[in-house]
Amino acid sequence: MKSPPTGHFIIFYDGICVLCSRAMQIVLKADCRDRFRICPLQSAFAARFIALHPLPGDTEPSILLWAAGKWYVYSSAILHICRHLCKGWPLLCIAFLIPRRIRDAVYRFISRHRYRWFGQYNTCRLPDARWKTKLLTDDEYPESSSGL
């Protein structure tokens, strides 16, 4: 598997979740420094990447962040993403003052109910054409022996 571009963070998201897909549209619009690449969890690329870099513990993914060789999960993933966006998004990082256990409980609660509250697509929803360069696809990163 060829390595993703260096200097970029990878956001893995639930591509059939309406909430997660809309969140990715917001992230891509606010990514004025071109920091992020995105990948649906349902893709072969995500499966291979996660197999090479196992998730911590019993993580139930909906949105994950891979940055600087480390996984960020649950509320920490969301807040680390916000930290690197433009406009007012970094202000949300004040939520780091809330204990992680509480932040993650809220995250898990929303995650468990996301399909019922926001809906889901029948197939993985990909970003519109203007964001294609930020989408990590199996075509761009085919399996190879180079590792990640």
Side-chain angles (χ1 to χ4, degrees):
M1 175 184 273
K2 182 176 155 187
S3 295
T6 57
H8 292 99
F9 305 138
I10 305 173
I11 302 171
F12 293 91
Y13 69 101
D14 182 351
I16 63 170
C17 169
V18 171
L19 176 63
C20 301
S21 295
R22 288 186 181 162
M24 289 308 98
Q25 294 294 324
I26 292 168
V27 166
L28 293 175
K29 287 177 186 174
D31 183 21
C32 63
R33 293 183 200 100
D34 193 32
R35 282 273 175 93
F36 294 102
R37 296 298 178 260
I38 63 171
C39 182
L41 284 163
Q42 291 81 1
S43 72
F45 177 86
R48 289 194 313 268
F49 192 94
I50 292 169
L52 288 170
H53 307 283
L55 294 170
D58 61 346
T59 303
E60 303 165 23
S62 56
I63 293 181
L64 305 165
L65 176 65
W66 176 261
K70 179 181 176 185
W71 285 113
Y72 293 91
V73 297
Y74 304 124
S75 64
S76 294
I78 301 301
L79 294 176
H80 279 284
I81 291 167
C82 290
R83 173 182 283 163
H84 295 285
L85 296 176
C86 295
K87 303 200 178 188
W89 290 103
L91 295 174
L92 292 177
C93 289
I94 196 164
F96 274 122
L97 297 174
I98 300 169
R100 182 185 304 181
R101 188 180 63 221
I102 295 170
R103 288 186 283 121
D104 286 350
V106 172
Y107 177 96
R108 287 185 183 118
F109 180 77
I110 294 168
S111 181
R112 270 194 306 273
H113 297 92
R114 69 187 186 271
Y115 294 144
R116 185 176 37 202
W117 293 346
F118 301 98
Q120 70 185 76
Y121 300 112
N122 292 329
T123 59
C124 182
R125 172 105 185 226
L126 299 176
D128 43 22
R130 64 186 162 163
W131 307 119
K132 285 287 190 189
T133 59
K134 294 182 176 254
L135 178 68
L136 296 179
T137 66
D138 299 318
D139 295 337
E140 294 171 12
Y141 299 96
E143 217 166 333
S144 75
S145 60
S146 64
L148 289 175

